[in-house]
Amino acid sequence: MAIQVPNQSGKLAVVTGSNSGTGLWTADGLAAAGATVIMAVRTVEKGERARREIMDRHPEADVRVRRLDLADLASVKEFAEDLLRDDKPLDILVNNAGVMMLPTRHETADGLEMQIGTNFFGHFALTLRLLPALLKAPAPRVVTMSSSNLRDIDFNNLNWERDYDANGAYGQSKLADLLFSRQLARVADQRGWSLLSLGAHPGNASTSIYDNGTQLDGGKPILALRIGWKITPRHSAEAGAQPEVYAATQPDVVQAGYYGPRFGLVGRPTPAKVPDKGKDARVAERLWQEAERLTGVSLEALSL
């Protein structure tokens, strides 16, 4: 059952990867509550089909589609500049999009390993570039989707140039997302911004995320992982979206909060325990510095 979402009328939200899965249901939940929602998607045609789905359920909704390829920093810049030209406050940014378990190593347009490049570096650059619009809103929120599958950050092999491992690369990218959500919260507090930065994870949601990634080379995750997904408790993509909808809208969330299903893999959204590796402020700060270096996007360069 979907949570009760407070009225979001008058708010503008951007949801990445919203043509399917948790992103689609996050966009649906925000639009149903009255927000104007921009569906930021790599393939506009798929985004338009998803938009029609939402409009069929909520005919009065205000939903728009714009192209964003998080695996291409030029596309990230173009999307952000187009949005900033609208000169409107951005109330909610949901960093939802992701690729998962690519059987072989692929690179983004900028030479970054595809999973961390899309899941983390693309969202890092997008968030920083959209900060001018976010900081115009009275109480902006940034929600970044992480995972219960986390792997340590290896700064000596951040882009997996050697010993590529599909599960390890995915888990590292998702820990990077969690660390980013918490470091952005520290930066916001240090600078006196009203912005809330929050993390979420979907539990074990029935989505096409690993299919979306493996279509790059037609492969599949290893058999053990595919069996594991099928035999462990799962819930729907709509249910998997509820933690990030909760983080984006509920009045009781806290700065640097982390939200997930009540029972870990399934259940209604609730505050989730942050694992120890997600609490390391020194790793988070170093990761932020690496992200600035590798993306060329920084607070200083943006005069923030």
Side-chain angles (χ1 to χ4, degrees), residues 3-222:
I3 61 172
Q4 185 68 37
V5 179
N7 190 315
Q8 302 295 300
S9 296
K11 292 186 178 182
L12 175 65
V14 168
V15 183
T16 69
S18 44
N19 61 283
S20 66
T22 56
L24 170 60
W25 285 105
T26 297
D28 183 282
L30 294 173
T36 295
V37 178
I38 295 175
M39 304 176 73
V41 300
R42 183 176 57 189
T43 306
V44 171
E45 292 78 8
K46 291 181 180 179
E48 290 292 352
R49 285 199 296 271
R51 177 185 177 276
R52 288 194 292 273
E53 285 183 36
I54 294 174
M55 297 304 296
D56 285 345
R57 288 188 287 266
H58 314 292
E60 302 302 317
D62 185 357
V63 184
R64 308 163 190 187
V65 176
R66 293 194 185 186
R67 185 178 184 277
L68 169 66
D69 184 355
L70 288 158
D72 183 348
L73 293 173
S75 175
V76 172
K77 181 181 180 182
E78 181 180 7
F79 176 91
E81 288 179 345
D82 284 348
L83 195 67
L84 293 178
R85 274 194 288 270
D86 292 344
D87 197 27
K88 294 180 180 178
L90 176 60
D91 300 275
I92 301 167
L93 170 62
V94 182
N95 291 324
N96 166 86
V99 293
M100 181 180 185
M101 306 296 185
L102 277 63
T104 58
R105 185 180 183 277
H106 289 265
E107 292 187 349
T108 69
D110 306 281
L112 303 168
E113 187 274 318
M114 183 65 75
Q115 293 189 83
I116 199 167
T118 302
N119 301 351
F120 168 59
F121 288 122
H123 280 128
F124 174 89
L126 177 69
T127 302
L128 265 61
R129 289 192 179 279
L130 290 179
L131 277 172
L134 285 161
L135 296 178
K136 286 182 180 178
R141 298 189 188 191
V142 177
V143 181
T144 301
M145 184 71 104
S146 183
S147 170
S148 55
N149 178 7
L150 304 175
R151 295 293 185 272
D152 290 334
I153 305 295
D154 183 356
F155 288 103
N156 294 317
N157 195 25
L158 198 59
N159 277 300
W160 293 89
E161 287 92 350
R162 63 181 186 279
D163 302 323
Y164 176 77
D165 174 72
N167 189 42
Y170 177 73
Q172 179 179 244
S173 76
K174 293 283 98 179
L175 178 58
D177 283 332
L178 178 56
L179 289 167
F180 170 57
S181 74
R182 294 174 66 80
Q183 183 63 16
L184 179 59
R186 294 186 191 98
V187 170
D189 287 347
Q190 290 164 3
R191 294 178 176 237
W193 297 342
S194 61
L195 180 145
L196 286 179
S197 178
L198 310 143
H201 78 85
N204 191 9
S206 298
T207 74
S208 61
I209 183 172
Y210 81 79
D211 291 330
N212 290 342
T214 56
Q215 67 186 355
L216 287 168
D217 56 15
K220 293 182 178 180
I222 62 174

